[in-house]
Amino acid sequence: MLKAKGLSAGYGRIQVLHGVELELKKGEVVALLGRNGAGKSTLLKTLIGLLPARSGEVLLEDRPITELPAYRRAQLGIGYVPEERRIFPELSVRENLELAARPGGPWTIERVYELFPRLAEIEHRSGGYLSGGEQQMLTLARTLVTNPRLLLLDEPTEGLAPILVKAIAETVAELKAQGMPILLAEQNLAFTAGLADRGYVLETGEVRLKGPMRELVKDPRVKELLAL
Amino acid sequence: MELDLGFFVQQFLTGLATASTLFLLAVGLSLIFGALGIVNFAHGSFYMLGAYLLYWVARGDPEGLWWGMAVVVAIGLVLGALVERIFLRPVYPRPEHHQILLTYALLLVIEDGVKILFGSAYKSLGPPSALAMPVWILGAPFPAYYLVQILLAAAVAVLLWLFLKRTRVGLWIRAVTQDREMLEALGVPVPRLLTGVFALGIALAVLGGAATLPMQTVSPGVAVEAVISAFIVVVVGGLGSIWGSLLGAFLIGEIQAFGVMIWPEFSIAFVYLLMAVVLLVRPWGLLGRPPVVRT
Ligand SMILES: Nc1ncnc2c1ncn2[C@@H]1O[C@H](COP(=O)(O)OP(=O)(O)OP(=O)(O)O)[C@@H](O)[C@H]1O
Ligand SMILES: [Mg+2]
């Protein structure tokens, strides 16, 4: 579905990604592993188009989208859930959802309220007053209501209490069961182990290892790359 | 006693008329800064241009005011959209001083353009005949046209509020001030949105300028005066909020109207005094939001 071919990107003079090759196929959850600063977020930003590619290509269903602005990529079905959550702090929970909602799929505001009942309870609360867990639910819900065809999910468990990590894992599993392709950036190997089908391990902006998840979890080199 | 009250009301309404003009001028400046992050030094120039355009479109006929204003607003929308596309879009990624230089350059270009097209002499256009006679309010005469200005500004304030609060595009405009990139990543056509906001802000400035022509003469010098007034309004009221522009315009209009009674030669001093106090006590403006550090 989504492919990166020889993708390079960076900030100013610093090049972060060096010729990344990666693929996300229909219906699969793919883990993007790597320790702090490995380039996971940079890769996701380059895929959605918030960061320009310096070389290489991004393909969506074999169509090159490298030159398209981020909003066109989003309209074509790439759903991006940022690491920093980036809730609009001065808008209410409901407004955060309304501005993103796009018809053309199963996801409506009512439906994400069913998935995260907590959001319905606080729908009039201002985005700036949410807890970390609420922010994480809202950022995921906000991308879902755009009815994406695939998800780029950046460290959804970062800074969350174990009980919330479990809730997020259940949600991701549920989305997977519905056939949503997900590229899941994580440092947390345990979290991805039960969810992902395949994985890539990044180090200093290059893919060092890739393979089926059940092999990666046993591979001592993965633990080393993740500094576990 | 009755006469005193009449005089008081007269001054109050005069202040409201001034406030109406200031509001139309400042609210666009504020919207543009909020959404685009650009301080538009040319804002007063578009205001001045609005008055000239009305003069030109109405061909000296005061009865042409109504359709003339509609035409001028349409020109303002198109002009605003073109300026954003051609000049502003390339400078968004540039440092702030480049953006300031650019809008300052626009100010100079518009000023000279107006001098070339219309000359440096003052231009005027009287109010339409239906509004030429004063209305009497509590025994005091009051220019009927002022009421039109007040109603116009009130209508704009209500419509803008409804637009920002109740429509999806309005929601996007509120969101784009907070996180432009995230909004774009959610599939919202942000470049077009910014073009629209700039066009709207310019159309409001142009409308504000055109609406003053039946009461005031226009000359190229109006531009700088206007942009300074607009800055004072947004400093007092708070940048980026409609209500801030409304409150700032109201306070400054009334202070000028009543300041004239207390100290006619220096009524403007009261305005600067207000601005100084606001800057000391609430540097982000009366209804502005204090800067927040995002986590
Ligand atoms: N906005 C930026 N400007 C400059 N350098 C940046 C920027 N964002 C990230 N970097 C650098 O790019 C490299 C990769 O960062 P990135 O955020 O992609 O890593 P990551 O794998 O997502 O790490 P983490 O697990 O901490 O989120 C790091 O060296 C980082 O310092
Ligand atoms: Mg990251």
Side-chain angles (χ1 to χ4, degrees):
Chain A
M1 260 203 112
L2 186 69
K3 240 187 245 173
K5 280 168 84 179
L7 203 58
S8 302
Y11 309 90
R13 291 207 187 138
I14 312 156
Q15 178 153 349
V16 175
L17 299 180
H18 307 270
V20 171
E21 301 280 335
L22 176 142
E23 186 176 7
L24 176 66
K25 297 194 195 110
K26 279 212 165 68
E28 77 178 347
V29 173
V30 169
L32 182 61
L33 297 159
R35 71 171 84 145
N36 274 330
K40 304 181 294 295
S41 298
T42 304
L43 177 56
L44 297 195
K45 280 183 199 156
T46 313
L47 291 173
I48 182 66
L50 290 181
L51 201 62
R54 294 195 173 164
S55 61
E57 268 194 311
V58 182
L59 302 171
L60 182 64
E61 309 224 287
D62 297 322
R63 171 184 171 185
I65 57 167
T66 327
E67 300 303 322
L68 294 183
Y71 76 91
R72 286 290 301 142
R73 300 189 201 192
Q75 288 172 352
L76 289 174
I78 302 184
Y80 170 65
V81 185
E83 184 175 13
E84 315 86 342
R85 284 100 188 224
R86 297 177 86 158
I87 301 304
F88 298 99
E90 287 166 21
L91 301 182
S92 69
V93 166
R94 189 171 183 98
E95 285 174 327
N96 267 276
L97 295 170
E98 277 172 354
L99 66 85
R102 250 198 326 272
W107 295 101
T108 59
I109 293 179
E110 306 323 313
R111 178 107 188 262
V112 292
Y113 279 167
E114 278 166 33
L115 187 64
F116 303 113
R118 175 70 188 148
L119 292 182
E121 288 167 25
I122 56 169
E123 70 168 350
H124 298 298
R125 191 169 296 175
S126 194
Y129 293 97
L130 304 187
S131 71
E134 290 162 350
Q135 286 181 24
Q136 188 57 53
M137 290 182 233
L138 181 54
T139 191
L140 181 54
R142 186 177 60 180
T143 300
L144 285 176
V145 294
T146 67
N147 282 300
R149 293 160 62 206
L150 62 91
L151 278 181
L152 308 176
L153 202 48
D154 201 352
E155 296 204 45
T157 63
E158 196 186 335
L160 295 188
I163 179 152
L164 288 168
V165 173
K166 197 161 160 268
I168 296 288
E170 281 165 14
T171 309
V172 174
E174 202 172 321
L175 292 171
K176 180 184 177 179
Q178 293 171 20
M180 176 77 81
I182 301 173
L183 181 59
L184 177 61
E186 265 298 342
Q187 296 191 47
N188 185 339
L189 181 64
F191 177 76
T192 55
L195 290 167
D197 305 300
R198 292 188 303 122
Y200 294 80
V201 188
L202 279 186
E203 188 192 40
T204 59
E206 288 178 64
V207 176
R208 296 281 182 224
L209 288 170
K210 60 174 187 175
M213 211 54 211
R214 59 190 144 66
E215 283 170 25
L216 287 180
V217 289
K218 283 184 289 192
D219 194 330
R221 289 175 302 173
V222 173
K223 297 220 165 61
E224 201 176 304
L225 284 168
L226 293 178
L228 292 175
Chain B
M1 199 60 217
E2 196 183 290
L3 208 130
D4 274 351
L5 184 65
F7 182 66
F8 181 84
V9 170
Q10 188 187 32
Q11 286 308 109
F12 181 76
L13 288 174
T14 306
L16 272 192
T18 309
S20 303
T21 302
L22 288 174
F23 171 70
L24 291 178
L25 182 59
V27 75
L29 183 75
S30 183
L31 267 176
I32 289 171
F33 178 77
L36 286 73
I38 280 185
V39 179
N40 182 23
F41 277 91
H43 211 69
S45 311
F46 287 102
Y47 168 89
M48 166 199 68
L49 190 62
Y52 274 103
L53 286 173
L54 179 64
Y55 172 80
W56 175 64
V57 169
R59 295 165 181 269
D61 175 12
E63 307 309 319
L65 178 73
W66 307 118
W67 64 266
M69 284 220 272
V71 171
V72 165
V73 167
I75 297 175
L77 282 172
V78 173
L79 196 62
L82 288 175
V83 166
E84 195 276 343
R85 275 294 172 95
I86 298 169
F87 298 112
L88 294 185
R89 198 173 280 185
V91 301
Y92 292 143
R94 303 275 204 96
E96 209 165 287
H97 61 272
H98 288 200
Q99 304 172 353
I100 290 174
L101 271 175
L102 183 94
T103 63
Y104 187 67
L106 281 174
L107 176 150
L108 297 176
V109 168
I110 294 173
E111 181 168 326
D112 280 351
V114 161
K115 280 184 189 159
I116 291 167
L117 292 173
F118 298 98
S120 300
Y122 288 85
K123 301 287 180 207
S124 62
L125 180 82
S129 54
L131 299 169
M133 299 303 282
V135 288
W136 293 81
I137 295 173
L138 298 174
F142 188 73
Y145 186 75
Y146 276 177
L147 297 178
V148 172
Q149 282 186 292
I150 294 168
L151 288 177
L152 179 70
V156 166
V158 170
L159 288 176
L160 256 185
W161 179 76
L162 285 175
F163 171 61
L164 290 177
K165 200 71 193 172
R166 296 285 160 82
T167 69
R168 196 165 152 86
V169 174
L171 182 55
W172 289 346
I173 293 174
R174 285 185 289 145
V176 84
T177 64
Q178 298 169 44
D179 192 338
R180 188 189 294 185
E181 268 196 351
M182 190 60 225
L183 191 65
E184 175 157 3
L186 290 166
V188 175
V190 168
R192 253 178 286 157
L193 186 69
L194 297 182
T195 305
V197 172
F198 193 76
L200 176 64
I202 295 307
L204 290 170
V206 162
L207 174 66
T212 60
L213 191 62
M215 299 306 291
Q216 281 166 29
T217 56
V218 62
S219 67
V222 163
V224 171
E225 238 172 79
V227 78
I228 291 173
S229 307
F231 280 134
I232 296 176
V233 169
V234 296
V235 163
V236 168
L239 203 48
S241 123
I242 305 189
W243 299 120
S245 299
L246 201 58
L247 179 65
F250 173 77
L251 289 176
I252 288 163
E254 294 302 340
I255 284 177
Q256 281 184 9
F258 286 100
V260 168
M261 295 164 61
I262 301 168
W263 197 9
E265 304 90 337
F266 296 105
S267 66
I268 193 74
F270 294 110
V271 172
Y272 285 108
L273 187 67
L274 171 70
M275 184 169 82
V277 170
V278 169
L279 279 175
L280 287 172
V281 182
R282 272 180 79 90
W284 48 87
L286 293 175
L287 298 183
R289 286 207 173 76
V292 278
V293 182
R294 293 237 170 92
T295 50

